[in-house]
Amino acid sequence: MNTSILLFFTSLLFTLNVQAARLAIVIDDVGYRVNAENKIFQMSVAVSIAILPNSPYGRKMAEKAYQQGREILIHLPMAPLSKQPLEKYTLHPAMNREEIARIIQDAIQKVPHAVGMNNHMGSAMTSNFSGMEKVIQELSHRRLYFLDSVTIGNTQVTKAAIGTSVPVLRRNIFLDNTQTEAETRHQLNRAIALARKQGSAIAIGHPHPTTMRALQQTLATLPSDIELVTPSMLLSSAPTTKNDNQIVRNCIKPRESKPAPATSSDYLKMLGKALSNNVIVNSLNRHMQKLLGHYRAQETPNDSGKPEVRQTTENKMAGKTKPQQKDDQTGAQKTKDACANF
Ligand SMILES: [Zn+2]
């Protein structure tokens, strides 16, 4: 075959890092500052929001986000270790099962369309195993995932979810512990680097003006190998079992390992399939299909002595090349479909 074509696509494959790294961004504490929070609604719909259930505008924000197809989490207040002003109905480790269930049910009513929950504060609550067991048990009846904001190193969330049907995700990066645009941009770059390294990353920010500006800038120039996703898109349908790490791994869709191509034609097919997942090279894929057709026309029968069934192969490839979806087409329905086993 034409060696230069093979070299061209090989270099393209490595240069473009064809498997997109997935980054989820969640904005917490939504429901109090309408003007600042309205900036979120101008951003990519893949940016998710976590709404405080007893905030004055929480329901309104949930309805607005739902209209856009934006993913919604309940930002459930949980007791911190330090003394500070608390939200109404903050979960405390000393609460009994019924109280916790009632507060969660109330929050679900006040934040319609939520598909997940994460903790507001919560260093005392999330580090208490029996407290979090009660929370997780209630969530298991509600088909909500839990995103651990990780406000304390000793969090018991993952452990409390062992053996339950509740999927758990963990926050990797806080975007605005220091409220400056430069710091938030720096943290966004850290999140991007982590997503490339691990395959995915979750960053949490707040509706501070500095965070909104840094996000607007960074999202406008997001590298092509970074796919902005909702937290639920990082979940697989695998049940939570075994140890802490296993649970987190279960929640993250594994990368497929590709078998080595047997022939140069297989190699081009493999490249075409991989490249079809990349935003930039979708259009190039069409040219590859033409090249493949040209190459097959020159190809001799395969090892079995039978000629390739061209139509079948091409149909297969066409079926696997999904049309590219724009950000504003990724809605709640889509993420529910992708994660039907919450
Ligand atoms: Zn919060």
Side-chain angles (χ1 to χ4, degrees), residues 24-331:
I25 296 174
V26 178
I27 304 299
D28 277 359
D29 294 356
V30 169
Y32 278 98
R33 290 160 286 187
V34 173
N35 287 343
E37 292 159 8
N38 275 336
K39 299 267 191 310
I40 304 167
F41 296 111
Q42 294 158 18
M43 293 181 196
S44 162
V45 78
V47 174
S48 305
I49 60 170
I51 298 174
L52 284 160
N54 290 294
S55 58
Y57 306 105
R59 182 181 294 276
K60 188 180 168 189
M61 290 306 191
E63 293 296 352
K64 200 166 175 180
Y66 182 70
Q67 292 302 318
Q68 288 189 320
R70 195 176 293 276
E71 188 156 310
I72 300 158
L73 292 87
I74 297 167
H75 194 44
L76 199 68
M78 297 194 186
L81 289 169
S82 59
K83 284 201 169 177
Q84 46 188 307
L86 298 181
E87 286 280 312
K88 194 177 172 187
Y89 302 137
T90 292
L91 292 190
H92 192 276
M95 285 177 169
N96 63 34
R97 201 173 293 280
E98 289 70 34
E99 281 177 284
I100 287 175
R102 184 184 52 75
I103 290 173
I104 291 175
Q105 286 161 25
D106 181 64
I108 291 170
Q109 293 298 316
K110 288 173 175 165
V111 185
H113 317 300
V115 296
M117 174 180 284
N118 74 337
N119 53 297
H120 170 68
M121 301 183 175
S123 50
M125 183 69 188
T126 58
S127 60
N128 184 287
F129 180 76
S130 79
M132 288 315 296
E133 252 194 331
K134 293 168 199 159
V135 173
I136 294 291
Q137 197 190 27
E138 184 57 28
L139 291 187
S140 69
H141 307 310
R142 305 286 163 188
R143 298 175 73 80
L144 294 172
Y145 68 81
F146 194 89
L147 166 60
D148 187 354
S149 306
V150 194
T151 53
I152 188 165
N154 187 32
T155 171
Q156 299 294 304
V157 173
T158 304
K159 211 179 274 181
I162 291 173
T164 75
S165 58
V166 180
V168 171
L169 293 163
R170 287 167 71 99
R171 184 272 311 166
N172 300 111
I173 305 273
F174 270 132
L175 296 176
D176 46 20
N177 280 343
T178 303
Q179 290 177 41
T180 65
E181 275 183 63
E183 178 60 17
T184 298
R185 273 199 302 274
H186 171 65
Q187 294 302 333
L188 279 164
N189 287 333
R190 280 188 65 216
I192 287 168
L194 195 63
R196 282 180 178 138
K197 190 178 167 192
Q198 298 185 157
S200 65
I202 301 177
I204 290 182
H206 301 82
H208 306 308
T210 49
T211 307
M212 295 295 100
R213 283 198 293 272
L215 259 177
Q216 282 166 336
Q217 291 164 15
T218 304
L219 295 183
T221 56
L222 202 64
S224 62
D225 65 322
I226 300 296
E227 184 189 1
L228 203 59
V229 296
T230 63
S232 67
M233 289 167 79
L234 299 177
L235 294 167
S236 75
S237 58
T240 55
T241 50
K242 298 180 185 171
N243 60 39
D244 291 12
N245 290 334
Q246 184 66 45
I247 286 175
V248 176
R249 278 202 300 276
N250 279 345
C251 293
I252 295 172
K253 201 175 176 184
R255 297 270 168 94
E256 287 174 27
S257 59
K258 303 283 191 299
T263 67
S264 52
S265 176
D266 290 342
Y267 186 65
L268 271 182
K269 285 177 205 165
M270 186 193 79
L271 283 174
K273 202 175 151 189
L275 290 167
S276 71
N277 292 327
N278 187 276
V279 172
I280 286 183
V281 297
N282 263 342
S283 61
L284 281 174
N285 196 30
R286 284 196 293 277
H287 297 293
M288 284 193 62
Q289 304 280 341
K290 282 183 192 168
L291 271 173
L292 277 172
H294 174 74
Y295 184 67
R296 281 192 206 105
Q298 300 172 352
E299 202 165 43
T300 53
N302 60 26
D303 288 349
S304 65
K306 294 173 187 168
E308 279 190 284
V309 185
R310 267 177 227 171
Q311 193 56 43
T312 306
T313 309
E314 281 165 7
N315 285 347
K316 244 193 216 171
M317 288 195 65
K320 286 179 181 173
T321 307
K322 294 174 186 169
Q324 188 186 336
Q325 278 205 305
K326 289 178 184 171
D327 278 342
D328 59 6
Q329 291 174 320
T330 58

